[in-house]
């Protein structure tokens, strides 16, 4: 193989690896966003709880 061919193969492998990593990161971002939404809902429920307690 020539140096140019090896460089082309290396470049293609790098692009494939980076694309796979980008996909994994995007998936993780989506999971974290969903967890933030759930956390926000729990925080709202917790902050509203004292207002629902019967007054003495």
């Amino acid at each position: 193989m020539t140096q140019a061919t090896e460089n082309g193969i290396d470049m293609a492998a790098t692009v494939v690896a980076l694309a796979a990593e980008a996909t994994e990161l995007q998936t993780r971002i989506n999971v974290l966003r969903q967890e933030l939404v759930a956390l926000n809902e729990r925080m709202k429920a917790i902050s509203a709880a004292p207002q629902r307690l019967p007054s003495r």
Side-chain angles (χ1 to χ4, degrees), residues 2-3 11-12 19 21-23 37 41-42 46 51 53-54:
T2 67
Q3 184 68 29
M11 180 69 73
E21 187 175 351
T23 300
V37 167
E41 291 301 316
R42 287 189 357 236
I46 289 169
Q51 297 166 5
L53 291 174

Side-chain angles (χ1 to χ4, degrees), residues 7-35:
N7 286 343
I9 292 170
D10 289 345
M11 180 69 73
T14 300
V15 168
V16 169
L18 288 173
E21 187 175 351
T23 300
E24 289 176 16
L25 290 171
Q26 188 63 49
T27 299
R28 183 68 178 136
I29 287 168
N30 291 337
V31 169
L32 290 172
R33 282 184 177 148
Q34 291 171 353
E35 290 177 4

